[in-house]
Amino acid sequence: MGFLWVKALHIIFVISWFAGLFYLPRIFVNLAMVAPGNEAERQRLLLMARKLYRFMTILMMPAVGFGLVLWLYFGVGLHGPGNGWMHAKLALVLVLIGFHLWCKRILREFENGSNTRSHQWFRWFNEIPTVALFIIVPLVVIKPF
């Protein structure tokens, strides 16, 4: 029963973290489109981005923690042949953690007024977590390796 609770909590926190991974780059799109001189809009979007980044960081920690418990304590994807899916999933989770940290760097650039990327660039950047999700879910559900 403990396994199912840990698994459920892991899924809840991962979904919540992904909501932030989807929405924060969308705020970046809007920040990149703010007209010069519109400081009120810029500050409002920066406040939203800072609060969302902080919240999604808080959500990422238990998502990763519960995932580690499932992997190391309960042995999900750890023992026996055919667990290549877990290695691929963990590699993508590391990519997403890197994406998360990259978002922090971008947020700092917006705060410092040093962003040089266009809103089109951020629209493509926004697709990284979507692509990762479309790969991770089948890996976990189908376990192809």
Side-chain angles (χ1 to χ4, degrees):
M1 190 59 134
F3 168 77
L4 294 177
W5 277 106
V6 172
K7 188 175 180 181
L9 289 170
H10 174 65
I11 292 168
I12 289 166
F13 282 106
V14 166
I15 289 169
S16 301
W17 178 41
F18 260 93
L21 292 175
F22 291 145
Y23 190 55
L24 185 60
R26 191 67 209 159
I27 294 174
F28 293 160
V29 169
N30 292 321
L31 272 165
M33 293 175 62
V34 171
N38 194 343
E39 193 60 26
E41 182 179 4
R42 183 179 171 282
Q43 287 303 320
R44 181 178 49 81
L45 289 168
L46 281 173
L47 178 65
M48 290 170 59
R50 280 191 290 269
K51 286 184 175 186
L52 180 58
Y53 186 84
R54 191 172 343 155
F55 186 64
M56 62 191 254
T57 300
I58 290 169
L59 294 169
M60 178 187 66
M61 300 302 178
V64 171
F66 286 123
L68 287 172
V69 169
L70 288 169
W71 185 42
L72 299 173
Y73 182 76
F74 289 107
V76 175
L78 189 61
H79 306 292
N83 288 318
W85 67 271
M86 179 59 87
H87 296 40
K89 176 198 169 196
L90 292 175
L92 286 168
V93 168
L94 290 175
V95 167
L96 287 170
I97 291 171
F99 179 84
H100 183 108
L101 296 172
W102 192 5
C103 284
K104 178 65 170 181
R105 184 170 158 232
I106 291 170
L107 178 55
R108 291 285 180 240
E109 290 173 3
F110 276 114
E111 290 173 332
N112 298 332
S114 61
N115 174 60
T116 58
R117 296 177 185 97
S118 69
H119 67 92
Q120 288 96 350
W121 187 89
F122 286 108
R123 289 177 197 280
W124 285 104
F125 179 75
N126 189 39
E127 299 307 321
I128 294 171
T130 305
V131 171
L133 184 66
F134 269 85
I135 297 170
I136 290 172
V137 169
L139 283 172
V140 173
V141 173
I142 300 169
K143 297 176 179 48
F145 305 113

